[in-house]
Amino acid sequence: MVSAAQGGVDPVAATKRLAEYGDSVMTLALRGLERKTLDPYLAGWRKRVVPALGHIPVRMITNGAVDRAVHGWIADECSRSTVKNSQYTAHVCCFPRTRGNG
């Protein structure tokens, strides 16, 4: 935890589970988006991201965990748009400074 804090990571945020952390930063993460896009992103957060990844501490979220969640959504026959919106919301909650870059 000390090394995380020295690296600029908020120690409180580092210990939160993704669901709790995402709820605390959602306004910041989705700032600037058109109002009409908020509902699909928030639905993706509530219906897919939180059930699949919400229990994992933020510092433990890996590309592999996200990939497994996305594969699960695809296997559940979620539409391409639904998967994209859910994946985007997970990304901006974990990395709000990189929004729009991946």
Side-chain angles (χ1 to χ4, degrees):
M1 189 58 63
V2 172
S3 65
Q6 289 173 340
V9 175
D10 176 4
V12 175
T15 60
K16 287 184 180 180
R17 302 205 181 284
L18 181 61
E20 181 184 6
Y21 178 73
D23 289 341
S24 72
V25 299
M26 190 63 70
T27 301
L28 171 66
L30 298 179
R31 75 191 181 285
L33 293 179
E34 292 184 32
R35 188 163 176 75
K36 67 181 181 180
T37 63
L38 293 180
D39 286 340
Y41 287 132
L42 292 173
W45 172 255
R46 285 189 314 273
K47 293 181 177 184
R48 282 168 291 286
V49 176
V50 170
L53 301 168
H55 64 285
I56 303 173
V58 173
R59 301 253 322 145
M60 302 294 291
I61 298 290
T62 63
N63 289 335
V66 175
D67 286 348
R68 285 187 293 279
V70 169
H71 284 276
W73 303 332
I74 292 168
D76 290 342
E77 299 183 1
C78 292
S79 72
R80 189 176 296 190
S81 176
T82 295
V83 170
K84 178 190 71 75
N85 290 344
S86 300
Q87 186 176 13
Y88 178 83
T89 307
H91 178 80
V92 298
C93 285
C94 290
F95 312 104
R97 291 185 206 151
T98 62
R99 184 172 55 128
N101 295 336

